[in-house]
């Protein structure tokens, strides 16, 4: 028994020593990063050796779907006019990438050969035309869309305005109007088709999509008045429609379903891994208590929940108050400070306030600071999922160091100041107000100075981040006493950063299949070296 204890003690002592050994940390981190770089190069070289097409993945996916649908329709034993109409509209959207000729020469070739983009469209028309959707309807659509034939368009309009309208006439007319950028007429046409035919799912989605992109509140209310119209559309469209209509339930429900349906599990795991690294480091600064590892989960979930009221305020500010980042100076700066900074910091602090009765009972300033930090971490966790969906996991390490810790720092600082104000019975109210306003300004300035706006390299935003992070870490050192566990926080930060850098390089190669994508991911990682060095030094003695 004593021998087992001796072995266990020896293992812990060895781990304690290695995770605080600078040389070991740097060599291991370098090995992990180098492994990621090698894997990224192998991915790119493998794609080059296989002669990977240079078309984007989106283009390849659309063309592949177009071909699959053609084969499916060609082998159908019964006419499928609505599915054929959808495929025909898909073909016209992809035609510029398939045909080198312009629209004026494409239609005469179709008249002569019956083919468009290499597909035998004339045969499909005869195969899928019915009494309700005759062959002439599809021919008029092609003449109006490709050749701009006024007689063909007039015939489509007559069929669409009939009572009841001819099947697919309004949908095809809407497609023609959309191609000509006559959006109001296109919306009306799609609405007519969706209103009269129960199986016109595509038309209902098109009508909703156009109404959302045009911010047409009146038309959206018309669609919402039709039972089940918006509810059966894709979740992301429901989210945007709810934002414009001010329907909070529709907005939140749509986004939640979109997250469940669309988020890749790999990206979800990456977001949790990045959050777990900061979670471990923050827990090590808490008191040695029985529930110190599980208790912060509640604050973390509160931070996740704070994203939802933030989105509601965002929709109100952008769609009803007209605040936008594209406005000229100084309105764009006002948007980032009074919009982004105020709503995000305000909502996080609002959810933190739920813990104030318990914190006032505990009377521990460091616990208030950490609770606020965990709320900020929860907000960044949910936000990361959206960023990974839109930009891929190659931004994992840059967000881990920048936006993630900015949320942790600002929410922790504001929470600590709010706690001190209440503890002193508002004697420090001026200090809290100043702290909160500075946090809002810092948050807005960070986003305003982000790369691509005023500073291509993002150094100005990095300076803002360093100031906020340094203040939080200093406050953490003043108000908490880190628990000296076997694994040092510096080791968690170092190894976790190396893994995230390796993942960024690999995903940069996987998403672009070029060394340029790997170089871009590497450049983004290099730009974060100053803030990484700050964390490295601050966690040295923890």
């Amino acid at each position: 028994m004593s021998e087992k204890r001796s072995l266990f003690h020896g293992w812990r002592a060895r781990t304690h020593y290695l995770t605080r050994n600078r040389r070991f940390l740097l060599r291991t981190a370098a090995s992990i990063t180098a492994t990621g770089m090698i894997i990224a190069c192998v991915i790119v070289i493998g794609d080059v050796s296989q002669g990977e097409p240079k078309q984007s993945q989106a283009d390849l996916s659309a063309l592949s779907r177009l071909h699959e649908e053609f084969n499916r329709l060609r082998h159908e034993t019964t006419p499928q006019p609505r599915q054929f109409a959808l495929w025909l509209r898909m073909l016209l959207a992809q035609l510029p990438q398939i045909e080198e000729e312009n629209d004026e020469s494409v239609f005469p070739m179709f008249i002569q050969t019956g083919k468009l983009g290499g597909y035998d469209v004339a045969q499909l028309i005869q195969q899928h035309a019915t009494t309700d959707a005759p062959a002439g309807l599809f021919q008029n659509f092609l003449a109006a869309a490709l050749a701009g034939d006024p007689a063909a368009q007039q015939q489509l309009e007559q069929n669409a305005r009939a009572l009841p309208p001819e099947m697919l006439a309004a949908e095809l007319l809407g497609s023609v109007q959309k191609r000509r950028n006559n959006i109001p007429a296109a919306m009306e046409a799609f609405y007519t088709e969706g209103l009269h035919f129960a199986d016109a799912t595509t038309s209902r989605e098109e009508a909703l999509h156009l109404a959302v992109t045009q911010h047409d509140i009146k038309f959206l209310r018309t669609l919402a008045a039709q039972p089940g119209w918006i509810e059966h559309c894709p979740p992301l469209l429901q989210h945007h429609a709810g934002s414009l209509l001010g329907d909070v339930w529709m907005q939140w429900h749509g986004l939640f379903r979109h997250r469940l349906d669309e988020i890749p599990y790999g990206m979800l795991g990456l977001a949790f891994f990045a959050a777990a690294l900061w979670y471990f480091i923050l827990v090590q600064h808490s008191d040695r208590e029985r529930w110190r590892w599980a208790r912060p989960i509640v604050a973390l979930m509160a931070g996740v929940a704070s994203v939802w009221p933030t989105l509601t305020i965002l929709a109100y500010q952008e769609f009803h108050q007209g605040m936008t980042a594209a406005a000229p100076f100084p309105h764009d700066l006002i948007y980032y400070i009074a919009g982004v900074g105020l709503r995000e910091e305000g909502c996080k602090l609002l959810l933190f306030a739920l813990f104030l009765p318990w914190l006032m009972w505990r009377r521990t300033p460091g616990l208030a600071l950490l609770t606020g930090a965990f709320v900020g971490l929860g907000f960044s966790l949910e936000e990361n999922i959206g960023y990974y969906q839109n930009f891929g996991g190659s931004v994992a390490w840059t967000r881990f160091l920048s936006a993630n810790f900015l949320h942790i720092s600002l929410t922790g600082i504001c929470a600590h100041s709010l706690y001190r104000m209440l503890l002193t019975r508002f004697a420090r109210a001026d200090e809290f107000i100043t702290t909160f306003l500075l946090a809002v300004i810092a948050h807005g300035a960070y986003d305003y100075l982000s790369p691509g706006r005023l500073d291509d390299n993002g150094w100005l935003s990095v300076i803002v981040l360093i100031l906020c992070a340094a203040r939080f870490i200093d406050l953490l050192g003043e108000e908490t006493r880190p628990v000296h566990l076997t694994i040092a926080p510096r080791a968690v930060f170092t190894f976790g950063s190396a893994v995230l850098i390796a993942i960024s390089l690999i995903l940069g190669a996987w998403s672009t299949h070029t060394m340029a994508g790997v170089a871009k991911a590497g450049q983004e990682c290099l730009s974060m070296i100053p803030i990484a060095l700050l964390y490295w030094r601050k966690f040295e003695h923890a």
Side-chain angles (χ1 to χ4, degrees):
M1 189 70 177
S2 60
E3 185 178 352
K4 289 184 179 180
R5 287 182 179 179
S6 177
L7 289 173
F8 180 70
H9 177 74
W11 174 83
R12 290 192 61 181
R14 181 66 175 168
T15 303
H16 185 278
Y17 168 75
L18 289 177
T19 58
R20 288 162 177 81
N21 184 295
R22 178 178 299 187
R23 185 179 179 184
F24 172 77
L25 295 180
L26 292 178
R27 290 178 63 180
T28 306
S31 300
I32 295 172
T33 305
T35 302
M37 186 66 185
I38 292 171
I39 295 174
C41 292
V42 169
I43 292 173
V44 173
I45 294 172
D47 290 335
V48 172
S49 64
Q50 294 174 12
E52 190 75 16
K54 292 186 178 180
Q55 287 176 287
S56 68
Q57 292 297 316
D59 293 340
L60 291 173
S61 177
L63 292 174
S64 175
R65 182 185 173 196
L66 186 70
H67 192 66
E68 289 175 1
E69 282 296 305
F70 171 75
N71 288 326
R72 189 184 67 81
L73 289 169
R74 188 176 58 177
H75 292 95
E76 284 286 351
T77 56
T78 58
Q80 303 289 333
R82 194 166 293 282
Q83 285 73 18
F84 170 64
L86 177 60
W87 178 85
L88 203 56
R89 292 170 55 203
M90 289 169 52
L91 174 62
L92 264 59
Q94 296 297 323
L95 205 56
Q97 301 181 38
I98 303 174
E99 296 281 359
E100 296 182 357
E101 297 87 356
N102 54 30
D103 286 354
E104 287 75 10
S105 60
V106 167
F107 187 69
M109 289 294 294
F110 166 71
I111 296 298
Q112 294 177 11
T113 65
K115 293 185 177 181
L116 281 175
Y119 296 102
D120 194 345
V121 175
Q123 178 186 352
L124 283 187
I125 290 177
Q126 296 302 321
Q127 181 181 349
H128 292 284
T130 63
T131 305
D132 295 330
L137 178 68
F138 299 109
Q139 292 168 351
N140 286 334
F141 166 65
L142 292 174
L146 296 177
D149 187 340
Q153 181 170 338
Q154 185 177 7
Q155 186 61 48
L156 278 177
E157 291 175 352
Q158 289 179 358
N159 295 339
R161 292 171 182 169
L163 293 176
E166 187 176 85
M167 178 183 176
L168 287 171
E171 180 174 319
L172 296 177
L173 175 62
S175 182
V176 173
Q177 299 289 18
K178 184 180 176 181
R179 286 172 63 88
R180 296 181 180 176
N181 207 32
N182 188 353
I183 304 302
M187 286 193 299
E188 287 294 338
F190 287 127
Y191 174 72
T192 299
E193 183 77 19
L195 191 64
H196 287 86
F197 297 95
D199 59 344
T201 305
T202 303
S203 290
R204 281 189 279 274
E205 291 181 9
E206 285 276 9
L208 181 60
H209 173 73
L210 292 176
V212 166
T213 55
Q214 296 298 306
H215 293 182
D216 193 330
I217 306 296
K218 182 178 179 181
F219 193 77
L220 277 173
R221 290 189 179 126
T222 302
L223 299 183
Q226 301 300 324
W229 187 302
I230 295 180
E231 289 77 6
H232 289 89
C233 286
L236 191 59
L237 272 180
Q238 294 181 38
H239 166 68
H240 292 312
S243 300
L244 288 165
L245 293 170
D247 189 329
V248 176
W249 167 249
M250 182 187 295
Q251 181 188 8
W252 290 8
H253 180 68
L255 184 60
F256 182 72
R257 285 184 53 206
H258 175 69
R259 286 278 196 268
L260 291 179
D261 295 343
E262 300 297 331
I263 182 66
Y265 288 111
M267 296 301 175
L268 185 63
L270 183 59
F272 275 104
F273 174 72
L277 297 176
W278 286 127
Y279 189 94
F280 183 94
I281 293 171
L282 291 174
V283 166
Q284 285 195 313
H285 287 81
S286 61
D287 294 334
R288 187 182 291 274
E289 296 179 342
R290 182 180 179 184
W291 297 101
R292 68 179 182 276
W293 288 101
R295 188 181 59 206
I297 294 177
V298 181
L300 189 78
M301 292 299 100
V304 172
S306 68
V307 172
W308 302 92
T310 302
L311 292 173
T312 301
I313 298 173
L314 180 151
Y316 178 78
Q317 288 180 326
E318 292 192 358
F319 299 141
H320 299 282
Q321 292 186 324
M323 299 179 69
T324 174
F329 182 83
H331 299 287
D332 56 346
L333 180 59
I334 294 173
Y335 167 82
Y336 280 105
I337 294 177
V340 178
L342 182 60
R343 67 176 174 246
E344 293 191 7
E345 296 306 321
C347 288
K348 287 185 293 181
L349 201 60
L350 179 65
L351 268 293
F352 163 78
L354 299 176
F355 300 92
L356 280 173
W358 173 67
L359 291 170
M360 296 301 295
W361 173 69
R362 290 293 302 269
R363 291 185 175 270
T364 307
L367 188 58
L369 177 69
L370 287 171
T371 303
F374 281 113
V375 171
L377 178 61
F379 187 97
S380 67
L381 168 62
E382 213 286 339
E383 192 178 55
N384 274 350
I385 295 173
Y387 267 85
Y388 295 165
Q389 276 184 294
N390 296 329
F391 305 107
S394 60
V395 299
W397 193 59
T398 56
R399 283 197 58 80
F400 171 73
L401 295 180
S402 57
N404 292 181
F405 202 73
L406 183 74
H407 284 297
I408 292 172
S409 302
L410 293 179
T411 312
I413 293 170
C414 290
H416 179 261
S417 183
L418 176 61
Y419 167 82
R420 285 165 61 89
M421 180 189 74
L422 296 178
L423 192 65
T424 59
R425 298 185 180 182
F426 294 89
R428 295 178 179 268
D430 56 341
E431 178 184 310
F432 165 70
I433 293 172
T434 303
T435 300
F436 179 73
L437 291 178
L438 286 175
V440 169
I441 294 171
H443 192 145
Y446 173 81
D447 287 346
Y448 183 71
L449 299 171
S450 60
R453 288 188 56 82
L454 300 183
D455 180 13
D456 291 337
N457 296 319
W459 289 111
L460 295 175
S461 61
V462 169
I463 292 173
V464 174
L465 174 62
I466 289 176
L467 292 174
C468 296
R471 173 56 184 156
F472 172 77
I473 295 175
D474 289 342
L475 200 58
L476 201 61
E478 296 171 7
E479 299 286 12
T480 65
R481 296 294 179 268
V483 177
H484 294 286
L485 299 177
T486 303
I487 302 175
R490 189 188 231 188
V492 175
F493 172 78
T494 305
F495 295 154
S497 293
V499 171
L500 290 175
I501 292 173
I503 291 174
S504 296
L505 296 173
I506 293 170
L507 291 178
W510 186 266
S511 60
T512 63
H513 303 282
T514 64
M515 286 306 298
V518 179
K520 182 180 179 182
Q523 185 178 8
E524 289 181 356
C525 293
L526 285 174
S527 67
M528 300 308 297
I529 292 297
I531 188 67
L533 291 176
L534 170 69
Y535 298 149
W536 171 270
R537 293 187 61 187
K538 292 292 185 180
F539 294 136
E540 182 174 4
H541 302 294

